[in-house]
Amino acid sequence: MRAEDSRMFREAASAGGVVSAQLARNASVMADLGERLRGLSPPIALISGRGSSDNAGVYGRYLIETGTGTPVSPAALSASSVYAVEPRLRGAVCIAISQSGQSPDLVASVAAARAGGAFVIAMVNAEGSRLSGVADVTVPLHAGPETSVAATKSFIASLSALAQLIGSWSEDADLLRALAALPEQLDEAFHRDWSPALDTLVRAQSLYVVGRGPGYAVAREAALKLKETCGLHAEAFSAAEVRHGPMALVKAGFPVLMLAQDDETRADMGALAATFAGRGARVLMAGAAGGGDIVSLPATEAHPAIQPILLIQSFYRLAALASVARGHDPDHPPFLNKVTETV
């Protein structure tokens, strides 16, 4: 098959139109939620999700903490679904992210958070889901049906919804203006030529994907997609964490994909890329200039909080191409289903 004929490829390509419709349709509810969250002034935010939705939650965590100062914690879903604990969350906000809104552990955790006093916002692609039934407010992702097992447009819709929510909450006019340009930029980003990375991905057996700040969220997502669609052992690390034990594995020829945004982390990402290259690693760098033996992948310029969304969009095209080149079907990863119902 051709990668361009896969549902994964076509669904990722449609993300610009998805986000355009989402931003318009959710403008009113986001404005209301922003006002409500400013009035609530939550002492803590809890984020719940699994898989790609959990990766989106990492993006939300960085935007909330840097934009509002509110500390954020990922929810330990099993604490409620398996251990039957009701957390004490009076005055907190819980943001739950899901494509299907059906996973029992997610629904149980969110119901427990609400019972424990949290104000619950569900960001879900399937309206009328079980998750919506236990939330105070549902924010539809408006991604439409997604038939490829590997999530693409729904992940991007989760990121844009989080950015719109947090921009409204923090009254960040620059971020909200940048969001208005995102649909067109997504179309541009999808056509960025990352083919110089293709040969490395086709030949790789293991790979690191590195980001920092909100870029760490899309590094996690990229690593997940490489596992799912390419059968490639890929691990995601923050630029800070990889300097500890994981650095011991980086030797000559070891591939590293780095996803950088233009904020306070960019200089550190560049320095780390140089360190990897100095060890003989095969470094693929997007979002910052390379040099020497570093392979530079083109990126679309945007607000630093928006750049990770554009980087993952460019990556999705590459992943679909790499999947087919490695002999896989990106729409049908082995042993996986579209909806995973964990308890």
Side-chain angles (χ1 to χ4, degrees), residues 45-310:
L46 199 67
I47 297 187
S48 301
R50 289 284 193 202
S52 289
S53 295
D54 185 40
N55 297 335
V58 174
Y59 175 80
R61 181 181 77 199
Y62 278 101
L63 263 61
I64 291 171
E65 292 199 351
T66 59
T68 74
T70 305
V72 180
S73 174
L77 304 188
S78 297
S80 300
S81 67
V82 176
Y83 297 102
V85 173
E86 183 179 292
R88 295 190 295 272
L89 293 169
R90 188 169 303 279
V93 60
C94 173
I95 302 172
I97 309 163
S98 178
Q99 298 169 54
S100 69
Q102 301 298 335
S103 189
D105 60 345
L106 177 62
V107 173
S109 174
V110 170
R114 189 180 182 191
F119 171 59
V120 174
I121 302 168
M123 293 184 167
V124 62
N125 198 38
E127 296 182 59
S129 66
R130 286 186 282 176
L131 180 60
S132 295
V134 297
D136 291 291
V137 176
T138 296
V139 175
L141 294 179
H142 296 301
E146 188 173 53
T147 57
S148 176
V149 171
T152 55
K153 64 177 181 173
S154 64
F155 177 75
I156 287 174
S158 299
L159 300 188
S160 58
L162 285 162
Q164 189 178 26
L165 173 66
I166 297 156
S168 299
W169 177 3
S170 62
E171 297 183 290
D172 187 335
D174 288 341
L175 176 56
L176 293 174
R177 277 193 296 271
L179 268 172
L182 177 58
E184 182 176 347
Q185 290 175 324
L186 282 166
D187 293 338
E188 177 186 338
F190 190 71
H191 292 93
R192 290 289 190 181
D193 182 13
W194 283 22
S195 61
L198 189 57
D199 184 60
T200 297
L201 295 187
V202 169
R203 292 185 293 106
Q205 294 182 330
S206 293
L207 176 83
Y208 283 171
V209 189
V210 180
R212 195 161 189 185
Y216 175 50
V218 296
R220 286 171 47 124
E221 172 66 7
L224 176 62
K225 288 298 180 287
L226 290 170
K227 295 184 184 82
E228 287 179 340
T229 67
C230 298
L232 174 57
H233 178 228
E235 296 298 329
F237 293 99
S238 77
E241 189 63 31
V242 77
R243 286 180 164 95
H244 295 274
M247 184 63 83
L249 297 181
V250 180
K251 298 179 174 66
F254 190 93
V256 181
L257 172 61
M258 302 189 69
L259 305 175
Q261 68 277 346
D262 188 14
D263 64 5
E264 293 86 344
T265 67
R266 191 169 188 174
D268 181 60
M269 288 285 285
L272 180 60
T275 299
F276 283 139
R279 288 171 170 255
R282 178 67 169 167
V283 182
L284 313 169
M285 184 76 164
D293 294 329
I294 296 172
V295 177
S296 294
L297 305 175
T300 301
E301 291 298 319
H303 186 288
I306 299 301
Q307 286 173 333
I309 308 178
L310 300 172

Side-chain angles (χ1 to χ4, degrees), residues 300-327:
T300 301
E301 291 298 319
H303 186 288
I306 299 301
Q307 286 173 333
I309 308 178
L310 300 172
L311 290 172
I312 199 63
Q313 176 71 333
S314 298
F315 168 82
Y316 281 149
R317 181 187 184 97
L318 173 66
L321 294 170
S323 176
V324 172
R326 288 174 64 92

